[in-house]
């Protein structure tokens, strides 16, 4: 789903990003809810994931959006009735991961069931990194030791070396706010940057790390928060923003499933770095497709925050 000069439309939250097929299915799932019929919902999901083929990065993007758009009841019933369908197992497991991530109360024992579903999906489709990615996400939530997490990472990159979701999960795990340190984060970013093309699905990793560092510093309060803006003046931050600003907004440059999400990261980083004037082209490339993260960091209304900065960048 390349960014091919999309026309700017109404500014809105768009979990599907620029994946039009996913957007159509998501809209029908959300609008119909349980009244639309479980069989029809499952049929739409099956077809959408079948069409994804072996594009593991896009499969992960679609599964994450579908897990957010379907009910726990549908996820569980499909997984139970289609025990030999790896997509059914993974939709259930990803749904559990999302509920745990946002601190909803899962059914007792559901997280263990999610791990079992991942194990079963991995056996059914051994080449797919997705079961390992979901397991990585669950272990990250539990702050499990590296001896348990790194073997999962090895399984993922052996199947898909530049899997965006997996890299973002590891970035969070290795951060000082979770189970790592600043030194581990820098080392991880250096290794990724050295071994990947700038257009890979991991393109947004460095910008995301800068945003996380900035937000973590703000959260400390006091003098740290007052001086957080200076983080954007460091040579590594300036270089990262310069590289991304020069290339990412160009039509067709970024083509991975979450390219629009990465552009949202870049626009946010630019305005926080007091470079709003340079963000205009990035906002135009986004085309009004807003992501909750990172715009919700600044206020409770990401669409309003996005729109306000977009106006300032255009001025």
């Amino acid at each position: 789903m390349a960014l091919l000069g999309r026309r700017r439309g109404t500014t809105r939250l768009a979990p599907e990003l620029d994946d039009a097929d996913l957007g159509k299915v998501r809209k029908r799932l959300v609008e119909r809810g349980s009244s639309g019929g479980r069989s029809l919902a499952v049929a739409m999901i099956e077809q959408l994931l079948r069409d994804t083929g072996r594009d593991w990065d896009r499969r992960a993007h679609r599964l994450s959006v579908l897990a957010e758009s379907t009910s726990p009841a549908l996820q569980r019933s499909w997984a139970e009735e289609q025990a030999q369908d790896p997509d059914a197992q993974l939709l259930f497991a990803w749904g559990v991961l999302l509920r745990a991530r946002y601190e909803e109360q899962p059914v007792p024992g559901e997280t263990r069931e999610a791990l079992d579903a991942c194990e079963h999906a991995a056996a059914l489709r051994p080449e797919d990194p997705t079961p390992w990615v979901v397991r990585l996400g669950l272990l990250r939530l539990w702050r499990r030791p590296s001896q348990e997490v790194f073997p999962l990472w090895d399984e993922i990159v052996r199947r898909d070396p530049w899997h965006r979701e997996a890299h973002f999960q590891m970035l969070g795990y290795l951060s000082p706010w979770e189970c790592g340190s600043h030194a581990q984060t820098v080392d991880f970013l250096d290794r990724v940057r050295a071994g990947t093309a700038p257009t890979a699905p991991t393109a947004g990793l460095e910008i995301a790390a800068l945003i996380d560092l900035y937000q973590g510093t703000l959260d400390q309060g006091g003098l740290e928060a007052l001086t957080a803006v200076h983080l954007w003046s460091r040579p590594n931050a300036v270089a990262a923003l310069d590289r991304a600003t020069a290339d990412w907004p160009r039509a067709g440059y970024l083509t991975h499933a979450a390219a629009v999400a990465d552009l949202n990261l870049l626009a946010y980083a630019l305005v926080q770095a007091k470079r709003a004037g340079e963000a205009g082209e990035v906002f135009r490339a986004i085309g009004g497709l807003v992501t909750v993260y990172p715009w919700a960091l600044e206020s409770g209304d990401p669409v309003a925050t996005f729109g306000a900065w977009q106006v300032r960048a255009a001025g």
Side-chain angles (χ1 to χ4, degrees):
M1 308 290 170
L3 302 175
L4 298 175
R6 283 180 291 104
R7 296 169 60 188
R8 179 179 170 186
T10 303
T11 301
R12 62 181 179 85
L13 285 179
E16 74 278 6
L17 305 177
D18 62 342
D19 188 331
D21 293 335
L22 175 60
K24 292 175 184 176
V25 172
R26 180 183 180 276
K27 181 178 180 180
R28 294 183 69 179
L29 290 171
V30 171
E31 289 180 350
R32 289 172 175 264
S34 59
S35 64
R38 177 191 167 285
S39 297
L40 177 59
V42 167
M44 290 191 296
I45 293 168
E46 286 179 320
Q47 184 62 53
L48 183 69
L49 295 176
R50 189 180 304 117
D51 292 344
T52 310
R54 294 171 61 91
D55 185 342
W56 307 126
D57 187 68
R58 185 163 298 280
R59 180 177 292 275
H61 170 55
R62 287 181 167 181
L63 274 167
S64 69
V65 173
L66 293 169
E68 176 268 333
S69 307
T70 52
S71 69
L74 184 148
Q75 295 164 12
R76 175 176 288 278
S77 64
W78 188 31
E80 289 177 347
E81 294 175 16
Q82 297 295 328
Q84 301 306 308
D85 186 334
D87 288 336
Q89 304 305 308
L90 290 172
L91 182 67
F92 167 73
W94 209 311
V96 173
L97 173 61
L98 288 181
R99 291 191 289 281
R101 181 183 294 170
Y102 296 113
E103 300 180 339
E104 295 182 25
Q105 293 298 318
V107 176
E110 198 174 47
T111 49
R112 171 51 56 186
E113 291 178 310
L115 287 173
D116 291 343
C118 289
E119 183 176 359
H120 190 39
L124 291 168
R125 191 190 287 136
E127 69 275 20
D128 187 355
T130 315
W132 304 93
V133 174
V134 180
R135 289 176 66 184
L136 174 63
L138 290 168
L139 266 59
R140 176 190 167 198
L141 287 174
W142 298 336
R143 303 293 194 268
R144 299 303 299 169
S146 59
Q147 298 92 320
E148 296 181 34
V149 171
F150 288 173
L152 301 181
W153 173 253
D154 292 339
E155 294 287 350
I156 294 165
V157 296
R158 184 162 61 85
R159 292 165 170 82
D160 185 353
W162 311 120
H163 195 288
R164 183 182 189 273
E165 175 67 20
H167 278 74
F168 274 66
Q169 290 281 4
M170 278 301 290
L171 178 66
Y173 178 80
L174 293 173
S175 75
W177 328 117
E178 293 189 18
C179 298
S181 65
H182 287 300
Q184 286 178 291
T185 300
V186 171
D187 180 65
F188 179 62
L189 291 170
D190 286 344
R191 283 187 283 116
V192 172
R193 189 188 309 111
T196 183
T199 56
T202 54
L205 197 67
E206 189 170 14
I207 303 298
L210 291 170
I211 293 172
D212 288 347
L213 177 59
Y214 174 67
Q215 189 61 40
T217 305
L218 286 178
D219 290 344
Q220 294 180 45
L223 183 60
E224 294 290 333
L226 292 174
T227 59
V229 69
H230 299 304
L231 294 171
W232 298 108
S233 301
R234 293 179 178 178
N236 67 309
V238 172
L241 291 178
D242 286 348
R243 286 193 298 269
T245 304
D247 294 321
W248 289 11
R250 298 202 325 252
Y253 185 81
L254 296 179
T255 61
H256 58 281
V260 175
D262 287 344
L263 287 167
N264 272 263
L265 291 173
L266 177 58
Y268 181 84
L270 287 171
V271 299
Q272 298 304 321
K274 312 302 183 186
R275 296 171 60 168
E278 298 175 62
E281 188 179 0
V282 182
F283 278 112
R284 286 191 291 275
I286 291 170
L289 303 178
V290 183
T291 55
V292 172
Y293 180 84
W295 299 104
L297 293 173
E298 191 169 317
S299 74
D301 188 340
V303 175
T305 301
F306 177 97
W309 279 113
Q310 185 180 38
V311 170
R312 292 178 64 175

